[in-house]
């Protein structure tokens, strides 16, 4: 594969910046070619346009509604790539210079090409579409990174995104966005969409330019802590859960408001444990949705997406597989933790590399499931099991060699011996299931943030505010930095700039052009309230919410 991926070069950035101009030029080109062809055919009585579809000459763009409607299952039907990309999508990647492998743009014969780690998810939709951007949870956005950023806009103008929600029977007010809270950002017909869930119990759809509402907010019934996922195949769909239930949401309705096409409650399967939250950010690949629940189950859903005769998106979801994320051995290991013996929820976002689905649960159980036969109706088979000892809320990050980077918390006294033995930041080799630990790093407070990998360095914030830069190969701690904790916001590294939120409300930018030395600070921007959410970096802007109640766009003036 190409050595210079989109994060390191110009092509992806250029495609985003000039997308609107390209569409206009493409349209004019089509008209010119059609006129020329018609004249030529009159003269010659033949020619390529006598039978060819003129759309093949246009600039490659997302399929329009009438084009998709001709395919019974939408763009995923007949796809060659593992992300449901169509032939047109692959041509788009080639035509516009999409360097490096992507989830649906490579020749890999499987679900997710391991070599796509660190790269955008799809060539079909330009954007940062799910938590940490792709199925290996390793894509942080695209630059240019701001040089002297400031708040460009914030919403709402008065007050904040706040709502009442209960924990353990006690109601409290929640404001802004929290962990993980990363927005999805995508380009559509010349507009940058920013979609996110907030503590006001709504999914919001904003214009990235000015923060105005693109469509009406969707009331999802309770607070949203997780990161929403935008459909990667061009369907106007968003996927998100809340403390109420999980939804597939359409964004193309004539009413100008988002509409739920399907929902799933946590008690619709059994057995379940713990609670009804949906913090996990789903993945959609080849018309299959992969999702974890805080009820202790994980799911595979066949979506059956299509475009109706009226040009509107439809779904007919079917849960084709679900299973408990725990086993009896785990419950035995957690037996001394009192009521938390049942805390085996899946709060992290499922990750996929090759034909293996990886996740962990709040009981510290890291698992890998072979999903190679799912598309043919075969059930997944668990092929990797590792008990780390304590709660793992951070998502597993997977590098291009298939290595897993796992961050765990320090909470359970009953299993502290195992927790200390394993460490709080661990690199695992799943191909060596009997002895998978490659290296580990200890921290006495543990980690809620998902680690980041860039330039051979692993960036790992801890609950205390200590952040370590670790050599990806050896596990050596290269440097440490202290910020006001807890640092639950996951790092984003774009254009050699590490962007990190702290709990004093500051968003920092650090120079990591030499990632092996202590990174100097380039800038900081003060926001209102703890920054628990993970920032989305896209085309020169940073989008993030904070616990003070507001959501922000940050960039150079």
């Amino acid at each position: 594969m190409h050595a210079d991926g989109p994060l390191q070069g110009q092509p992806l950035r250029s495609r985003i910046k000039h997308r609107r101009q390209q569409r206009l030029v493409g349209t004019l080109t089509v008209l010119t070619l059609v006129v020329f062809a018609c004249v030529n055919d009159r003269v010659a009585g033949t020619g390529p346009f006598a039978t060819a579809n003129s759309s093949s000459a246009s600039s490659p763009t997302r399929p329009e509604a009438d084009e998709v409607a001709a395919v019974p299952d939408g763009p995923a039907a007949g796809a060659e790539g593992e992300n449901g990309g169509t032939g047109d999508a692959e041509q788009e990647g080639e035509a516009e210079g999409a360097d490096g492998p992507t989830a649906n743009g490579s020749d890999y014969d499987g679900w997710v090409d391991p070599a796509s780690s660190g790269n955008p998810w799809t060539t079909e939709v330009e954007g940062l579409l799910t938590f940490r951007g792709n199925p290996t949870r390793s894509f942080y956005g695209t630059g240019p990174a701001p040089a002297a950023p400031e708040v460009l806009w914030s919403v709402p103008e008065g007050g904040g995104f706040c709502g009442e929600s209960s924990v353990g029977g006690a109601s409290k007010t929640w404001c802004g966005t929290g962990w993980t809270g990363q927005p999805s950002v995508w380009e559509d017909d010349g507009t940058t969409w920013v979609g996110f869930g907030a503590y006001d119990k709504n999914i919001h759809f904003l214009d990235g330019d000015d923060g105005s509402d693109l469509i009406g907010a969707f009331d999802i019934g309770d607070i949203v802590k997780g990161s929403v996922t935008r459909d990667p195949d061009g369907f106007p769909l968003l996927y998100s859960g809340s403390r109420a239930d999980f939804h597939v949401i359409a964004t193309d309705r004539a009413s100008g408001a988002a509409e739920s096409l399907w929902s799933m409650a946590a008690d619709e399967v059994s057995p379940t444990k713990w609670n009804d939250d949906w913090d996990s950010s789903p993945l959609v690949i080849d018309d299959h949705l992969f999702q974890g629940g805080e009820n202790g189950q994980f799911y595979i859903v066949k979506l059956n997406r299509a475009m109706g005769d009226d040009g509107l998106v439809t779904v007919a979801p079917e849960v084709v597989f679900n299973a408990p994320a725990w086993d009896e051995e785990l419950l035995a290991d957690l037996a001394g933790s009192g009521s938390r013996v049942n805390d085996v929820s899946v709060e992290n976002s499922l990750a996929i590399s090759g034909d293996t689905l990886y996740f962990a649960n709040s009981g510290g159980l890291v698992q890998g499931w072979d999903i190679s036969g799912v598309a043919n109706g075969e059930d997944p088979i668990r092929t990797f099991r590792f008990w780390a000892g304590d709660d793992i809320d951070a998502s597993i990050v997977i590098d291009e060699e298939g290595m897993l980077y796992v961050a765990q918390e320090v909470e359970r006294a009953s299993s502290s011996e195992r927790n200390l033995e394993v460490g709080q930041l661990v690199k695992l080799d799943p191909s060596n299931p009997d002895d998978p630990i490659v290296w580990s790093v200890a921290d006495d407070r543990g980690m809620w943030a998902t680690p980041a990998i860039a330039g051979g360095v692993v960036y790992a914030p801890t609950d205390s505010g200590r952040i370590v830069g670790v050599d990806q190969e050896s596990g050596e701690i290269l440097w440490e930095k202290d910020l006001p904790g807890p640092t639950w916001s996951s790092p984003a590294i774009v254009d050699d700039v590490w962007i990190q939120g702290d709990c004093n409300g500051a968003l920092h930018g650090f120079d990591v052009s030499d990632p092996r030395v202590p990174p100097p600070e380039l800038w900081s921007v003060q926001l209102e309230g703890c920054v628990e959410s993970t920032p989305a970096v896209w085309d020169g802007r940073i989008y993030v919410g904070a616990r003070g109640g507001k959501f922000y766009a940050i960039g150079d003036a």
Side-chain angles (χ1 to χ4, degrees):
M1 292 298 177
H2 201 291
D4 294 327
L7 288 176
Q8 300 171 329
Q10 184 69 14
L12 176 62
R13 186 183 306 160
S14 297
R15 295 206 315 277
I16 298 165
K17 284 182 174 296
H18 299 295
R19 191 59 151 170
R20 299 170 190 175
Q21 293 94 325
Q22 286 175 334
R23 288 192 178 99
L24 177 59
V25 171
T27 301
L28 294 175
T29 301
V30 171
L31 293 174
T32 302
L33 289 173
V34 169
V35 170
F36 173 80
C38 290
V39 172
N40 184 62
D41 289 349
R42 278 186 185 177
V43 173
T46 182
F49 284 86
T51 57
N53 187 336
S54 63
S55 65
S56 64
S58 65
S59 294
T61 60
R62 181 176 64 84
E64 299 299 330
D66 55 347
E67 295 174 323
V68 178
V71 184
D73 287 325
E80 295 292 333
E82 62 272 28
N83 193 42
T86 62
D88 289 342
E90 292 176 0
Q91 291 169 8
E92 176 178 343
E94 294 169 7
E96 294 188 346
D99 295 5
T102 60
N104 76 342
S106 76
D107 295 327
Y108 179 75
D109 184 18
W111 285 92
V112 174
D113 186 350
S116 68
S117 178
N119 287 277
W121 185 357
T122 172
T123 55
E124 186 65 30
V125 179
E126 304 264 21
L128 188 68
L129 307 180
T130 188
F131 178 68
R132 279 305 193 64
N134 64 15
T136 56
R137 308 297 178 180
S138 60
F139 175 56
Y140 316 116
T142 187
E150 59 187 64
V151 174
L152 301 178
W153 54 258
S154 65
V155 291
E157 292 185 2
F161 292 128
C162 298
E164 295 287 324
S165 188
S166 296
V167 179
S171 181
K172 62 175 285 188
T173 299
W174 303 69
C175 287
T177 67
W179 181 99
T180 54
Q182 185 179 42
S184 286
V185 185
W186 67 94
E187 303 291 334
D188 190 0
D189 291 335
T191 299
T192 300
W193 286 62
V194 181
F196 62 94
Y199 286 158
D200 67 342
K201 307 180 183 181
N202 284 288
I203 306 291
H204 298 271
F205 303 89
L206 306 183
D207 188 320
D209 286 343
D210 58 16
S212 60
D213 290 322
L214 289 170
I215 59 174
F218 173 72
D219 182 350
I220 199 167
D222 209 330
I223 66 171
V224 181
K225 291 189 295 175
S227 300
V228 302
T229 294
R230 202 277 187 191
D231 189 275
D233 296 321
F235 289 98
L237 294 169
L238 198 83
Y239 309 91
S240 179
S242 71
R243 277 193 167 164
D245 45 21
F246 182 85
H247 287 264
V248 177
I249 302 166
T251 60
D252 63 347
R253 274 22 194 182
S255 64
E259 177 183 328
S260 177
L261 302 185
W262 181 75
S263 64
M264 175 172 60
D267 60 2
E268 292 182 15
V269 299
S270 64
T272 63
K273 292 182 181 290
W274 206 240
N275 63 40
D276 300 339
D277 287 13
W278 300 87
D279 285 2
S280 181
S281 182
L283 291 175
V284 175
I285 304 175
D286 274 351
D287 205 36
H288 288 76
L289 181 144
F290 300 85
Q291 174 70 347
E294 288 198 42
N295 61 357
Q297 288 263 344
F298 75 100
Y299 301 77
I300 302 176
V301 180
K302 182 70 166 63
L303 291 167
N304 297 307
R305 303 162 299 172
M307 300 303 293
D309 293 338
D310 57 1
L312 300 179
V313 67
T314 67
V315 295
E318 175 190 2
V319 177
V320 295
F321 181 81
N322 65 276
W326 72 88
D327 55 27
E328 292 303 317
E329 182 180 353
L330 176 64
L331 297 182
D333 287 331
L334 299 177
S337 60
S339 64
R340 291 205 64 187
V341 67
N342 291 315
D343 185 0
V344 290
S345 59
V346 181
E347 297 187 51
N348 54 18
S349 299
L350 280 56
I352 300 175
S353 179
D355 287 329
T356 305
L357 171 72
Y358 293 100
F359 62 92
N361 65 21
S362 294
L365 185 61
V366 180
Q367 303 178 59
W369 289 71
D370 181 356
I371 56 173
S372 58
V374 165
N376 297 321
E378 301 173 15
D379 286 346
I381 300 172
R382 191 170 72 181
T383 56
F384 180 73
R385 184 191 190 278
F386 176 82
W387 184 48
D390 213 329
D391 195 339
I392 299 175
D393 289 344
S395 297
I396 295 171
V397 180
I398 313 173
D399 69 19
E400 61 186 10
E401 295 180 349
M403 300 293 177
L404 314 181
Y405 299 81
V406 180
Q408 73 168 324
E409 302 165 17
V410 176
E411 291 191 327
R412 286 182 171 89
S414 64
S415 56
S416 59
E417 183 177 348
R418 176 61 177 173
N419 187 309
L420 290 172
E421 176 188 356
V422 170
Q424 285 62 59
L425 175 66
V426 193
K427 179 177 180 177
L428 300 177
D429 180 359
S431 70
N432 186 20
D434 294 331
D435 185 20
I437 298 179
V438 178
W439 53 253
S440 68
V441 173
D443 184 85
D444 59 5
R445 290 280 294 274
M447 303 179 183
W448 274 254
T450 295
I453 304 172
V457 174
V458 181
Y459 298 73
T462 75
D463 183 51
S464 67
R466 175 197 183 211
I467 303 175
V468 292
V470 180
D471 184 277
Q472 182 180 352
E473 294 301 318
S474 69
E476 174 192 359
I477 296 178
L478 302 171
W479 48 261
E480 297 188 22
K481 185 171 288 292
D482 289 313
L483 293 177
T487 41
W488 290 4
S489 178
S490 300
I493 298 98
V494 174
D495 280 355
D496 292 332
V497 178
W498 161 33
I499 298 165
Q500 180 68 50
D502 71 30
C503 219
N504 273 3
L507 190 70
H508 304 267
F510 298 99
D511 180 1
V512 290
S513 55
D514 184 352
R516 304 184 67 81
V517 302
E521 183 169 270
L522 297 169
W523 49 260
S524 67
V525 178
Q526 188 63 43
L527 308 179
E528 298 178 25
C530 178
V531 182
E532 291 180 10
S533 296
T534 297
V537 187
W538 191 253
D539 194 19
R541 290 194 173 186
I542 304 167
Y543 301 97
V544 69
R547 291 301 302 274
K550 294 183 181 296
F551 184 87
Y552 301 86
I554 299 160
D556 293 326

